[in-house]
Amino acid sequence: MTSLRAWMAICIIFMLIPTTAPDSKRTLDHMLNSALWRSLPAVRQGRVYFVEADRWNWNDAMTRQKLLTALPKLLGASS
């Protein structure tokens, strides 16, 4: 349990936002309004980043290259 608590203390969550599937959007909304979600350390500490699923949920070299540029900006890094 100690290692789980240590991991949760530094955890960052990237959440894909569904843009075309109404059921997925409703499920996401339900989860985001749940007590369990709000209890997560990363959520309480503002370390959750939302990205559009249809833009970032691809497994190709071009998307990975875009992610390398976008992720530091999402995290607020000065690169």
Side-chain angles (χ1 to χ4, degrees), residues 9 21 29 33 38 41 48 50 58 64 66 73-74:
D29 290 341
N33 290 307
R38 291 188 309 267
V48 178
F50 295 91
W58 299 96
R64 290 180 183 169
K66 285 194 288 186
K73 292 175 186 174
L74 270 174

Side-chain angles (χ1 to χ4, degrees), residues 7-69:
W7 178 82
M8 288 183 73
I10 61 168
C11 180
I12 296 172
I13 299 172
F14 288 94
M15 182 65 68
L16 294 172
I17 301 170
T19 55
T20 58
D23 288 340
S24 296
K25 177 69 172 129
R26 278 191 297 276
T27 300
L28 176 64
D29 290 341
H30 179 73
M31 183 193 71
L32 295 178
N33 290 307
S34 72
L36 178 60
W37 174 258
R38 291 188 309 267
S39 74
L40 296 174
V43 173
R44 290 194 325 262
Q45 296 168 8
R47 294 188 316 240
V48 178
Y49 302 90
F50 295 91
V51 295
E52 302 88 5
D54 59 347
R55 182 173 177 196
W56 298 109
N57 196 24
W58 299 96
N59 191 22
D60 62 278
M62 299 266 307
T63 301
R64 290 180 183 169
Q65 182 64 38
K66 285 194 288 186
L67 284 170
L68 288 174
T69 302

